[in-house]
Structures are given as structure tokens and as C-alpha cells.
Amino acid sequence: MQIAEQTRYSDLELAEFRVIIERQITEARKQLDFYLSQLEEQTNSEDGKKHGLDDGTHSSVADELQNQASRQRKLIQHLQYALMRVDNKVY
């Protein structure tokens, strides 16, 4: 059984990865900001204040926005870890 030789990415390839990852982080942060602003708007809306977010519709919307924001935070964290791997040339 032959063991495949590991090859590392070149500095140029890693620089390309960095650009792609940074672009993805920027987009993920924009999306996170959108979810957080929607959640804040939902919480501060007149309907939300009248009914408290215990109303089923408001509660489910708020829960979904929280879930989306949580996923975006995890995505951003994973992308930041990828940048660290690029910086350490172990990607």
C-alpha cells in the first residue's frame, strides 16, 4: 500500500484562499447584522410590545431569527479558523 505524498498549497494559492475567506466573512457579517436588526425590530415592534413575544407568531419568528444569527456566528468562527490555518500555512 502506497502512502500518498502530501503537498502544501503555494503562497499564491493561500493568498487566493485568504481573499475568498475574507469575502465570505464580510458577507456572513452582513447577514448576521441583518438577522440581529430584524430580531431587534421584531422585539421593538408595536405588536411585539403589545403581545410580548409570547404570541406564537412573534415567538416563532424571533426563534428563527435567533437560530439564523447563531448559525451565522458559527460560520464566521469557522471562517476565522480557516484564516488562521492559511496564516500558519497548514490549510
Side-chain angles (χ1 to χ4, degrees):
M1 177 176 176
Q2 285 186 323
I3 298 175
E5 183 180 321
Q6 276 190 328
T7 57
R8 299 212 179 237
Y9 289 106
S10 70
D11 288 345
L12 181 61
E13 290 170 318
L14 291 173
E16 289 177 38
F17 289 160
R18 171 173 273 292
V19 169
I20 292 167
I21 294 167
E22 287 174 343
R23 191 175 310 134
Q24 289 177 340
I25 288 173
T26 300
E27 288 303 313
R29 285 186 175 144
K30 285 179 189 176
Q31 194 66 42
L32 176 59
D33 289 344
F34 172 76
Y35 292 137
L36 294 176
S37 70
Q38 290 296 305
L39 184 58
E40 184 177 337
E41 185 178 306
Q42 180 72 24
T43 303
N44 294 330
S45 73
E46 285 302 313
D47 288 338
K49 288 178 183 176
K50 285 180 191 173
H51 303 291
L53 289 172
D54 292 334
D55 180 303
T57 303
H58 293 289
S59 182
S60 65
V61 169
D63 288 346
E64 183 60 29
L65 288 169
Q66 283 285 6
N67 290 337
Q68 293 292 341
S70 178
R71 282 188 222 121
Q72 283 304 112
R73 285 185 188 105
K74 287 179 186 176
L75 173 62
I76 291 167
Q77 185 177 39
H78 287 291
L79 290 168
Q80 289 171 333
Y81 291 152
L83 275 181
M84 287 177 13
R85 289 191 298 275
V86 166
D87 290 341
N88 294 328
K89 298 182 181 186
V90 293
Y91 197 85

